[in-house]
């Protein structure tokens, strides 16, 4: 694999672009691996990379039923932030943000991480107080760049929000994280795949796991559409399909429901919005940023009913359009280019699981709700650490399946045990 | 749009309804063990395929319904009132 560098770009530019090689191999599955990661999304690929890099495990496969990045990895709205308030999540997402800050160098691949700031609009004195409380907690616990903005500061930064006297939701201020932003999701997939492949990881696409063979408390092999693969350890990272694989492994219930979340992109526009703007008020939910190509990338709530279909419904299109008009009326004449949906693994408290399971050599990465893109570097790091050392790192000690039995919920929204409410 | 045949109001768009959740969950007796309560509150089959779930016709008759729906194709197989007494009453007037 040719490294990307200014010199290589220049040299290939003058020699007809002939010096580049394949970004990753397309190997046949071997009959045995030390670790098999099921799911070629961001978390499967990142975990493979960190297993090879940090833990020197080389005989690793990532098996993906379709193509890598064809799941939620390639469907999200690419928001990266670490303004979480609950213990456990705070440290985890801040670690993740620090890894994002160096990710392009780490992977030798431009993931276009753009720290353009994340602005959550506030519409009442109570909302400002609530945000101030949370942001103070974050400032005291290692996330220094979160702050509350008054209206003047907000108007200077984002002049074209709906500040008018007739605004349906008058804006009073904003909660802002400066180091937050967006990244190019496909580039993150390809960057991790390329870097993992360079360390010897086999990335096997078009390889669906159809069965999991267990010998009492151990998995001995997985059955795939490309044959049987024996393995010492299995890491599950299949996002919205977790429950299906869980039952393939012969296990029962999980604190997870699969729901679908839609996203939208408009026709490309000239530079309009230089931040991520979030609007959440009562029943409305809306977040928007502008991609490097100029498309307005935005989304809102889940489709509200459980679903495994990667196909969104129209009432949500209307909800999201109404929210857009409420905060950014200048979008009214903009045409929608595409919209799509992904199946997300909504958990009972809105937080994730990176943990051991009742099966000795099966490890779980799941429950990412709306927010697993930003988690990628930390999820990969800690999941790899868990698989290699067979014990959780202290940062993820409470992100296990048993936390509800202990009476603990890591519930950022305080929404309770109803997966669809954890947006 | 999913169309739900409400036994009281007829076929309506799903946007008139509010989704409850897995309708197979049975809450245990108040004095049941915390493990039983944990399982009822937190654990789900999360079926891919036909599942029974609760919907409320909030912008209609406001009744809670038990709907058998495929979670992959969204096809609806059956709809009945969540209260068993009402099912019997509906049958009596048929
Ligand atoms: C519309 C939308 C917007 C989002 N916006 C954001 C955001 O702004 N910020 C943020 O942080 N997060 C966001 N998320 C969440 C984030 O995208 C996910 O949490 C994250 O991508 C999940 O991890 P993953 O990439 O590993 O999952 P996926 O990419 O879904 O990977 C799982 C893979 O497993 C494969 N698989 C499934 N079953 C099998 C099988 N039997 N055998 C083999 N392979 C299998 C699938 O094909 C898939 O490729 C969003 C999600 C959606 C859907
Ligand atoms: Zn009705």
């Amino acid at each position: 694999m040719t490294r990307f560098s200014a010199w290589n770009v220049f040299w290939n530019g003058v020699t007809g672009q002939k010096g580049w090689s394949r970004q990753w191999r397309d190997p046949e599955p071997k009959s045995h691996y030390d670790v098999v990661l099921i799911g070629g999304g961001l978390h499967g690929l990142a975990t493979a990379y960190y297993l090879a890099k940090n833990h020197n495990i080389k005989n690793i496969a990532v098996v993906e039923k379709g193509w890598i990045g064809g799941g939620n990895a390639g469907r999200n709205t690419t928001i990266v932030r670490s303004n979480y308030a609950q213990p456990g999540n705070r440290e985890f997402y801040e670690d993740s943000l620090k890894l994002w800050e160096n990710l392009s160098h780490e992977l030798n691949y431009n993931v276009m991480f753009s720290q353009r700031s994340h602005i959550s609009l506030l519409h009442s004195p109570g909302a400002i107080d609530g945000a101030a409380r949370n942001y103070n907690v974050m400032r005291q616990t290692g996330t220094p760049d979160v702050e509350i903005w008054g209206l003047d500061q907000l108007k200077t930064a984002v002049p074209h929000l709906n500040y008018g006297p007739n605004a349906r939701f008058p804006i009073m201020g904003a909660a802002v994280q400066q180091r937050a932003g967006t990244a190019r999701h496909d580039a993150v997939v390809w960057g991790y795949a390329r870097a993992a492949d360079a360390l010897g990881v086999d990335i096997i696409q078009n390889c669906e796991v159809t069965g999991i063979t267990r010998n009492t408390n151990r998995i001995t092999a997985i059955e795939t559409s490309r044959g049987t693969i024996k393995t010492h350890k299995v890491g599950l990272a299949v996002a919205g399909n977790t429950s299906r694989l869980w039952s393939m492994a012969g296990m029962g219930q999980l604190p997870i429901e699969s729901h679908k979340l839609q996203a939208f992109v408009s026709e490309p526009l000239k530079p309009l919005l230089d931040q991520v703007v979030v609007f959440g008020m009562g029943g409305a939910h809306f977040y928007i940023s502008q991609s490097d190509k100029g498309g307005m990338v935005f989304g809102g709530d889940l489709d509200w009913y459980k679903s495994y279909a990667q196909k969104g419904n129209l009432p949500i299109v209307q909800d999201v359009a109404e929210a857009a008009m409420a905060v950014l009326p200048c979008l009214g004449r903009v045409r929608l280019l595409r919209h799509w949906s992904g199946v997300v693994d909504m958990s009972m408290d809105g937080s994730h699981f990176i943990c051991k399971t009742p099966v000795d050599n099966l490890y779980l990465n799941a429950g990412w709700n709306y927010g697993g893109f930003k988690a990628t570097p930390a999820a990969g790091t800690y999941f790899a650490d868990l698989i290699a050392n067979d014990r959780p790192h202290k940062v993820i000690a409470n992100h296990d399946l048993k936390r509800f039995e202990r009476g603990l919920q890591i519930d950022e929204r305080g929404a309770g045990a109803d997966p669809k409410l954890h947006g | 749009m999913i169309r739900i045949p409400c036994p009281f109001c007829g076929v309506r768009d799903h946007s008139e309804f509010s989704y409850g959740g897995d309708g197979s969950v049975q809450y245990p007796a108040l004095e049941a063990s915390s493990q039983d309560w944990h399982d009822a509150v937190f654990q789900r089959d999360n079926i891919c395929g036909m599942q029974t779930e609760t919907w409320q016709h909030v912008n209609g008759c406001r009744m809670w319904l038990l709907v058998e729906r495929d979670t992959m194709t969204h096809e609806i197989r059956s709809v009945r009132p969540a209260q068993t007494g009402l099912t019997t009453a509906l049958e009596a007037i048929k």
Side-chain angles (χ1 to χ4, degrees), chain A residues 130-206:
Chain A
R133 183 201 168 273
N134 280 349
Y135 276 33
N136 273 328
V137 169
M138 291 170 214
R139 289 175 76 105
Q140 300 307 316
T141 52
T143 305
D145 61 318
V146 290
E147 56 194 44
I148 304 296
W149 283 4
L151 211 47
D152 291 345
Q153 204 173 350
L154 183 62
K155 281 183 175 166
T156 315
V158 200
H160 39 302
L161 293 172
N162 191 356
Y163 301 107
N166 299 325
R168 173 70 182 80
F169 300 101
I171 301 167
M172 295 189 70
V176 180
Q177 180 172 31
Q178 304 265 11
R179 284 151 67 234
T182 59
R184 165 119 198 258
H185 51 6
D186 295 325
V188 185
V189 172
W190 300 331
Y192 271 114
R194 173 175 172 272
D197 175 88
L199 295 173
V201 172
D202 282 0
I203 294 165
I204 305 163
Q205 305 185 74
N206 298 313

Side-chain angles (χ1 to χ4, degrees), chain A residues 349 401-410, chain B residues 34 38 42:
Chain A
D349 59 355
L401 286 169
K402 297 246 175 217
R403 63 176 176 260
F404 307 119
E405 287 178 27
R406 296 195 299 275
L408 175 68
Q409 296 183 53
I410 311 176
Chain B
S34 46
H38 164 271
F42 295 107

